[in-house]
Amino acid sequence: DTEVTQTPKHLVMGMTNKKSLKCEQHMGHRAMYWYKQKAKKPPELMFVYSYEKLSINESVPSRFSPECPNSSLLNLHLHALQPEDSALYLCASSQGVAGFGNEQFFGPGTRLTVL
Amino acid sequence: AQKVTQAQTEISVVEKEDVTLDCVYETRDTTYYLFWYKQPPSGELVFLIRRNSFDEQNEISGRYSWNFQKSTSSFNFTITASQVVDSAVYFCALSELEGNEKLTFGTGTRLTIIP
């Protein structure tokens, strides 16, 4: 099973709302990632979890809060977002052994609109 | 610092024509990995190929082929006998030996196959 799933597919939220994005993989991968992608741009890395520990935070604003409850699950909690945070949020996973350049497998993304 | 350049922003070809997507990279490391990903309109990034810096052998997979040349720091991707389903945005990406598989993406090439 080489699948990464993400829910929801679409999310519309107001600036005062709190919502969460969910990502799941059952490939036994130990590294999981959150990316943000604006229209006509490449994905931008936000966070990396390696063996359930946060290993990279690319200076992401605190209104984005990641969580890795277990090796298969990754959440992104959203609070007090701005309209400019509207984007496609992609989750990915890889075998997670640093230095081996393992390919990342991506989910279908959550298209977020902040009103 | 690592960098990936995809100079072709958009390419349109008629179905059944061959098309080559260019990718030029910069890195100070001697050990690195190069990737190609496809992003169809649905949004999910699909892994196509990984190549490490010590393997300059070209690769062919069906209608797809890749030409890796360290002398020119290029990793070009050719689609032979293009089909409408090949229409997508294609990203070239680079990761270095250390860095937890952090990918540096190029800006992408939007390929449109005209029926």
Side-chain angles (χ1 to χ4, degrees):
Chain A
D1 183 8
T2 56
E3 187 180 52
V4 176
T5 59
Q6 289 187 244
T7 54
K9 288 192 173 162
H10 300 275
L11 179 63
V12 179
M13 60 187 289
M15 290 190 284
T16 58
N17 292 157
K18 285 186 181 181
K19 296 286 184 184
S20 296
L21 310 184
K22 179 180 171 182
C23 173
E24 201 161 1
Q25 58 88 13
H26 295 287
M27 295 178 277
H29 289 172
R30 302 312 299 269
M32 295 186 78
Y33 312 76
W34 279 116
Y35 288 87
K36 173 183 177 179
Q37 187 179 24
K38 302 284 275 184
K40 303 198 179 202
K41 297 287 187 183
E44 296 174 29
L45 183 65
M46 299 174 72
F47 303 104
V48 180
Y49 273 83
S50 183
Y51 293 85
E52 300 159 49
K53 297 267 190 292
L54 183 65
S55 59
I56 295 178
N57 176 342
E58 292 286 282
S59 303
V60 179
S62 60
R63 56 185 185 268
F64 295 92
S65 175
E67 179 196 20
C68 189
N70 59 58
S71 60
S72 300
L73 193 56
L74 185 66
N75 298 321
L76 185 64
H77 303 298
L78 313 173
H79 174 54
L81 294 193
Q82 303 296 310
E84 59 264 29
D85 296 321
S86 298
L88 179 67
Y89 287 83
L90 293 161
C91 173
S93 69
S94 71
Q95 290 185 358
V97 181
F100 283 81
N102 294 306
E103 60 268 33
Q104 295 180 22
F105 293 90
F106 285 80
T110 294
R111 198 162 293 279
L112 173 68
T113 302
V114 182
L115 301 176
Chain B
Q2 54 189 10
K3 183 180 176 182
V4 177
T5 300
Q6 295 179 255
Q8 304 151 308
T9 307
E10 296 192 25
I11 301 175
S12 294
V13 299
V14 176
E15 195 173 19
K16 297 186 182 158
E17 288 185 353
D18 300 347
V19 58
T20 295
L21 308 183
D22 297 333
C23 173
V24 174
Y25 62 92
E26 294 175 29
T27 178
R28 285 178 288 191
D29 278 10
T30 56
T31 303
Y32 51 89
Y33 299 87
L34 295 163
F35 302 82
W36 276 96
Y37 282 87
K38 172 183 180 180
Q39 188 173 38
S42 59
E44 181 174 350
L45 270 85
V46 178
F47 166 75
L48 296 178
I49 190 171
R50 176 187 68 176
R51 174 66 75 227
N52 76 55
S53 53
F54 297 109
D55 182 3
E56 286 193 73
Q57 191 169 6
N58 291 331
E59 179 149 344
I60 297 174
S61 176
R63 295 184 297 105
Y64 295 170
S65 62
W66 290 269
N67 184 315
F68 177 27
Q69 292 196 336
K70 285 178 77 170
S71 59
T72 56
S73 297
S74 64
F75 186 42
N76 296 337
F77 172 31
T78 297
I79 301 174
T80 303
S82 59
Q83 300 176 2
V84 173
V85 293
D86 297 326
S87 296
V89 179
Y90 291 86
F91 291 99
C92 181
L94 166 72
S95 75
E96 296 172 330
L97 176 62
E98 299 298 331
N100 221 12
E101 294 102 66
K102 182 175 175 178
L103 287 177
T104 297
F105 285 92
T107 50
T109 297
R110 180 176 300 276
L111 176 63
T112 302
I113 309 299
I114 304 165

